[in-house]
Amino acid sequence: METQDNKEQITANESVEVKNATASAEGSHFDHIKETLEILYKTFPAVFVKEGEVKPLKIGIFEELKSKIASVEGLSLSKVRAALRIYTSRLKYLYSVKEGAARIDAEGKESDDKVSAEHEAFAKEKIKELLAKRKANAPKKPAPVKKTFLKRTSNKPNAKVGKKPPVKIVGEKATAENLKEGVNVLVLTSDQRSVRGVVAQDAQKDSVYVTLKSGLTVNLPIDRVLIDKK
Protein backbone atom coordinates (compact mmCIF):
# COMPACT_ATOMS: atom_id res chain seq x y z
CA MET A 1 0.00 0.00 0.00
CA GLU A 2 0.99 3.62 -0.48
CA THR A 3 2.75 4.92 2.65
CA GLN A 4 2.28 8.38 4.14
CA ASP A 5 5.96 9.23 3.50
CA ASN A 6 5.60 8.32 -0.17
CA LYS A 7 2.51 10.46 -0.52
CA GLU A 8 4.48 13.37 0.91
CA GLN A 9 7.17 12.72 -1.69
CA ILE A 10 5.18 12.39 -4.92
CA THR A 11 1.61 13.69 -4.49
CA ALA A 12 1.99 17.43 -3.87
CA ASN A 13 1.42 19.63 -6.90
CA GLU A 14 3.69 22.63 -7.30
CA SER A 15 1.04 24.84 -8.84
CA VAL A 16 -1.30 24.18 -5.92
CA GLU A 17 1.47 25.16 -3.52
CA VAL A 18 1.88 28.45 -5.34
CA LYS A 19 -1.83 29.25 -5.32
CA ASN A 20 -2.19 28.40 -1.64
CA ALA A 21 0.90 30.33 -0.58
CA THR A 22 0.04 32.94 2.04
CA ALA A 23 1.80 36.27 2.24
CA SER A 24 3.57 37.38 5.43
CA ALA A 25 5.79 40.24 6.50
CA GLU A 26 8.85 38.18 5.61
CA GLY A 27 7.56 37.02 2.20
CA SER A 28 5.25 34.36 0.77
CA HIS A 29 5.23 30.73 1.85
CA PHE A 30 6.42 29.64 -1.60
CA ASP A 31 9.30 32.13 -1.52
CA HIS A 32 10.48 30.50 1.71
CA ILE A 33 10.27 27.07 0.06
CA LYS A 34 12.36 28.26 -2.88
CA GLU A 35 14.96 29.62 -0.47
CA THR A 36 14.95 26.32 1.43
CA LEU A 37 15.44 24.34 -1.79
CA GLU A 38 18.44 26.50 -2.71
CA ILE A 39 20.01 25.72 0.68
CA LEU A 40 19.31 22.00 0.22
CA TYR A 41 20.88 22.05 -3.26
CA LYS A 42 24.08 23.54 -1.83
CA THR A 43 24.17 21.55 1.44
CA PHE A 44 23.13 18.14 0.09
CA PRO A 45 24.08 18.16 -3.63
CA ALA A 46 24.21 14.36 -3.78
CA VAL A 47 20.60 14.17 -2.60
CA PHE A 48 18.86 17.25 -3.98
CA VAL A 49 19.77 17.82 -7.62
CA LYS A 50 19.05 21.19 -9.20
CA GLU A 51 20.63 20.48 -12.58
CA GLY A 52 21.29 17.01 -13.94
CA GLU A 53 20.03 13.50 -13.28
CA VAL A 54 17.57 13.19 -10.42
CA LYS A 55 17.25 10.01 -8.37
CA PRO A 56 14.24 8.87 -6.31
CA LEU A 57 14.55 9.49 -2.59
CA LYS A 58 14.40 6.79 0.04
CA ILE A 59 11.06 6.35 1.82
CA GLY A 60 11.45 8.03 5.21
CA ILE A 61 14.41 10.18 4.17
CA PHE A 62 12.95 13.06 6.15
CA GLU A 63 13.72 11.18 9.37
CA GLU A 64 17.34 10.74 8.25
CA LEU A 65 17.62 14.44 7.45
CA LYS A 66 16.37 15.65 10.83
CA SER A 67 19.72 15.35 12.58
CA LYS A 68 21.60 16.83 9.65
CA ILE A 69 19.51 19.96 9.15
CA ALA A 70 19.62 21.01 12.79
CA SER A 71 23.03 22.62 12.35
CA VAL A 72 22.33 24.22 8.95
CA GLU A 73 21.50 27.91 9.09
CA GLY A 74 18.22 28.78 7.40
CA LEU A 75 16.73 25.29 7.66
CA SER A 76 13.99 24.02 9.93
CA LEU A 77 11.93 20.84 10.05
CA SER A 78 8.81 22.54 8.72
CA LYS A 79 10.69 24.24 5.87
CA VAL A 80 12.44 21.03 4.80
CA ARG A 81 9.19 19.05 4.95
CA ALA A 82 7.49 21.61 2.68
CA ALA A 83 10.50 21.72 0.35
CA LEU A 84 10.45 17.91 0.07
CA ARG A 85 6.85 18.05 -1.09
CA ILE A 86 7.71 20.51 -3.83
CA TYR A 87 10.92 18.76 -4.89
CA THR A 88 9.23 15.37 -5.25
CA SER A 89 6.20 16.79 -7.08
CA ARG A 90 8.15 18.17 -10.02
CA LEU A 91 8.10 16.42 -13.39
CA LYS A 92 11.86 15.86 -13.39
CA TYR A 93 11.61 13.95 -10.12
CA LEU A 94 8.47 12.02 -11.07
CA TYR A 95 10.16 10.80 -14.25
CA SER A 96 12.89 9.25 -12.07
CA VAL A 97 10.39 7.07 -10.20
CA LYS A 98 10.83 3.88 -12.24
CA GLU A 99 10.15 0.37 -11.00
CA GLY A 100 13.33 -1.25 -9.68
CA ALA A 101 15.30 2.00 -9.41
CA ALA A 102 17.32 2.25 -6.18
CA ARG A 103 16.25 5.08 -3.90
CA ILE A 104 19.03 7.17 -2.34
CA ASP A 105 19.50 7.94 1.34
CA ALA A 106 20.45 11.17 3.12
CA GLU A 107 24.08 10.62 2.08
CA GLY A 108 23.16 10.35 -1.60
CA LYS A 109 24.01 6.63 -1.62
CA GLU A 110 21.81 3.94 -3.13
CA SER A 111 19.81 2.07 -0.54
CA ASP A 112 18.10 -1.30 -0.52
CA ASP A 113 14.82 0.54 -0.95
CA LYS A 114 13.66 0.05 -4.55
CA VAL A 115 10.85 1.78 -6.42
CA SER A 116 7.85 -0.52 -6.60
CA ALA A 117 5.55 -0.99 -9.58
CA GLU A 118 2.78 0.62 -7.55
CA HIS A 119 4.88 3.73 -6.89
CA GLU A 120 5.84 4.02 -10.57
CA ALA A 121 2.18 3.80 -11.61
CA PHE A 122 1.30 6.44 -9.03
CA ALA A 123 4.05 8.76 -10.38
CA LYS A 124 2.81 8.26 -13.94
CA GLU A 125 -0.66 9.39 -12.92
CA LYS A 126 0.80 12.53 -11.36
CA ILE A 127 2.78 13.21 -14.54
CA LYS A 128 -0.42 13.01 -16.58
CA GLU A 129 -2.15 15.40 -14.19
CA LEU A 130 0.68 17.94 -14.33
CA LEU A 131 0.93 17.83 -18.11
CA ALA A 132 -2.85 18.23 -18.43
CA LYS A 133 -2.79 21.27 -16.12
CA ARG A 134 0.09 22.81 -18.04
CA LYS A 135 -1.79 22.32 -21.28
CA ALA A 136 -4.97 23.82 -19.83
CA ASN A 137 -3.10 26.85 -18.46
CA ALA A 138 -1.02 27.43 -21.60
CA PRO A 139 -1.89 30.69 -23.40
CA LYS A 140 -4.19 30.08 -26.31
CA LYS A 141 -2.88 30.87 -29.77
CA PRO A 142 -4.72 33.73 -31.46
CA ALA A 143 -7.06 32.73 -34.24
CA PRO A 144 -5.49 33.13 -37.68
CA VAL A 145 -6.45 36.34 -39.46
CA LYS A 146 -8.29 35.70 -42.67
CA LYS A 147 -6.89 37.63 -45.59
CA THR A 148 -9.41 39.32 -47.84
CA PHE A 149 -8.45 39.92 -51.44
CA LEU A 150 -10.24 42.42 -53.65
CA LYS A 151 -11.18 40.86 -56.94
CA ARG A 152 -11.01 42.83 -60.15
CA THR A 153 -13.93 42.59 -62.50
CA SER A 154 -13.86 42.96 -66.25
CA ASN A 155 -16.54 43.66 -68.81
CA LYS A 156 -14.83 41.28 -71.19
CA PRO A 157 -16.39 37.80 -71.37
CA ASN A 158 -14.37 34.97 -69.80
CA ALA A 159 -11.86 37.43 -68.29
CA LYS A 160 -9.81 35.92 -65.44
CA VAL A 161 -10.87 37.61 -62.19
CA GLY A 162 -8.09 39.17 -60.13
CA LYS A 163 -5.39 38.86 -62.81
CA LYS A 164 -3.52 42.09 -63.53
CA PRO A 165 -3.46 43.08 -67.19
CA PRO A 166 -0.01 42.94 -68.81
CA VAL A 167 1.92 46.19 -68.95
CA LYS A 168 3.48 47.17 -72.25
CA ILE A 169 7.22 47.68 -71.82
CA VAL A 170 8.73 50.23 -74.19
CA GLY A 171 12.45 49.72 -74.64
CA GLU A 172 15.19 48.77 -77.06
CA LYS A 173 17.13 45.55 -76.93
CA ALA A 174 20.47 46.19 -75.27
CA THR A 175 23.93 45.02 -76.24
CA ALA A 176 27.26 45.22 -74.50
CA GLU A 177 28.20 48.07 -76.86
CA ASN A 178 25.30 50.40 -76.00
CA LEU A 179 25.21 49.68 -72.26
CA LYS A 180 27.57 52.42 -71.19
CA GLU A 181 27.86 54.07 -67.78
CA GLY A 182 25.01 56.55 -67.21
CA VAL A 183 22.60 55.09 -69.78
CA ASN A 184 18.98 54.84 -68.59
CA VAL A 185 17.66 51.30 -68.75
CA LEU A 186 14.67 49.13 -67.92
CA VAL A 187 15.28 45.97 -65.88
CA LEU A 188 12.82 43.15 -66.63
CA THR A 189 11.32 41.47 -63.54
CA SER A 190 9.98 37.94 -63.13
CA ASP A 191 6.34 39.11 -63.30
CA GLN A 192 6.79 40.57 -66.81
CA ARG A 193 7.17 44.12 -65.55
CA SER A 194 10.14 46.45 -65.42
CA VAL A 195 12.06 48.67 -63.03
CA ARG A 196 13.98 51.75 -64.11
CA GLY A 197 17.69 52.06 -63.47
CA VAL A 198 20.98 53.51 -64.66
CA VAL A 199 24.05 51.62 -65.92
CA ALA A 200 26.63 51.87 -63.12
CA GLN A 201 29.59 50.91 -65.31
CA ASP A 202 30.19 49.78 -68.88
CA ALA A 203 28.83 46.34 -69.67
CA GLN A 204 31.21 43.37 -69.67
CA LYS A 205 30.35 40.84 -72.39
CA ASP A 206 27.21 39.10 -70.97
CA SER A 207 26.47 41.15 -67.82
CA VAL A 208 26.14 44.69 -66.61
CA TYR A 209 25.95 46.51 -63.27
CA VAL A 210 22.77 48.59 -62.92
CA THR A 211 21.81 50.98 -60.13
CA LEU A 212 18.05 50.67 -59.61
CA LYS A 213 15.88 53.63 -58.66
CA SER A 214 15.81 52.20 -55.12
CA GLY A 215 19.56 52.84 -54.90
CA LEU A 216 20.52 49.15 -55.03
CA THR A 217 23.24 48.20 -57.52
CA VAL A 218 22.92 44.72 -59.02
CA ASN A 219 24.79 42.65 -61.59
CA LEU A 220 22.37 41.47 -64.29
CA PRO A 221 22.48 39.41 -67.50
CA ILE A 222 22.26 41.70 -70.52
CA ASP A 223 19.15 39.88 -71.79
CA ARG A 224 17.23 41.25 -68.77
CA VAL A 225 18.07 44.86 -69.62
CA LEU A 226 16.45 47.17 -72.22
CA ILE A 227 17.46 50.67 -73.25
CA ASP A 228 14.87 53.06 -71.81
CA LYS A 229 13.29 55.07 -74.64
CA LYS A 230 11.37 57.47 -72.38
Side-chain angles (χ1 to χ4, degrees):
M1 293 182 60
E2 190 76 344
T3 67
Q4 183 62 31
D5 283 332
N6 189 61
K7 289 182 179 179
E8 289 178 356
Q9 288 185 6
I10 66 175
T11 61
N13 185 290
E14 183 172 349
S15 62
V16 175
E17 288 286 346
V18 175
K19 292 179 181 178
N20 292 339
T22 55
S24 68
E26 299 177 356
S28 71
H29 174 58
F30 190 65
D31 286 336
H32 287 317
I33 292 176
K34 288 172 64 178
E35 292 173 2
T36 301
L37 280 171
E38 289 299 327
I39 296 174
L40 291 174
Y41 292 142
K42 294 178 181 179
T43 309
F44 307 102
V47 180
F48 298 95
V49 180
K50 186 175 183 179
E51 300 291 342
E53 184 183 357
V54 175
K55 294 184 179 180
L57 302 181
K58 178 182 177 181
I59 302 298
I61 194 172
F62 179 71
E63 296 299 322
E64 293 185 2
L65 289 170
K66 281 183 178 180
S67 61
K68 296 179 179 295
I69 64 178
S71 60
V72 181
E73 184 178 356
L75 294 184
S76 67
L77 295 181
S78 59
K79 287 182 179 180
V80 173
R81 186 186 295 274
L84 266 171
R85 291 192 183 115
I86 295 299
Y87 180 79
T88 56
S89 70
R90 291 174 173 170
L91 281 173
K92 186 162 63 172
Y93 179 85
L94 293 172
Y95 280 126
S96 75
V97 183
K98 302 291 184 181
E99 182 181 1
R103 295 179 179 271
I104 58 174
D105 59 20
E107 299 292 335
K109 298 178 181 179
E110 293 187 355
S111 67
D112 294 332
D113 187 6
K114 307 291 184 180
V115 175
S116 67
E118 182 183 9
H119 289 167
E120 180 183 1
F122 193 77
K124 285 182 177 179
E125 286 301 314
K126 290 304 170 185
I127 290 172
K128 289 181 182 179
E129 290 178 15
L130 286 174
L131 293 178
K133 288 182 180 179
R134 286 191 180 185
K135 185 177 180 179
N137 294 330
K140 295 182 179 179
K141 294 183 179 179
V145 178
K146 292 184 179 180
K147 295 182 179 180
T148 303
F149 297 94
L150 296 176
K151 296 183 178 180
R152 289 190 178 185
T153 58
S154 174
N155 294 326
K156 295 182 180 180
N158 301 323
K160 291 184 178 181
V161 178
K163 185 177 182 180
K164 294 181 180 180
V167 177
K168 185 177 180 180
I169 300 174
V170 180
E172 179 183 318
K173 185 176 180 180
T175 63
E177 288 72 24
N178 58 16
L179 288 175
K180 301 297 182 182
E181 182 177 350
V183 173
N184 293 324
V185 294
L186 297 173
V187 176
L188 301 177
T189 63
S190 59
D191 58 354
Q192 297 183 347
R193 295 176 180 274
S194 64
V195 178
R196 282 190 164 81
V198 178
V199 175
Q201 63 183 49
D202 293 354
Q204 300 293 324
K205 196 175 180 180
D206 297 325
S207 63
V208 61
Y209 281 93
V210 176
T211 300
L212 305 178
K213 63 179 182 179
S214 64
L216 178 67
T217 298
V218 293
N219 187 17
L220 299 166
I222 289 179
D223 58 8
R224 285 189 56 190
V225 180
L226 298 177
I227 302 296
D228 189 357
K229 285 298 186 180
K230 291 187 179 180

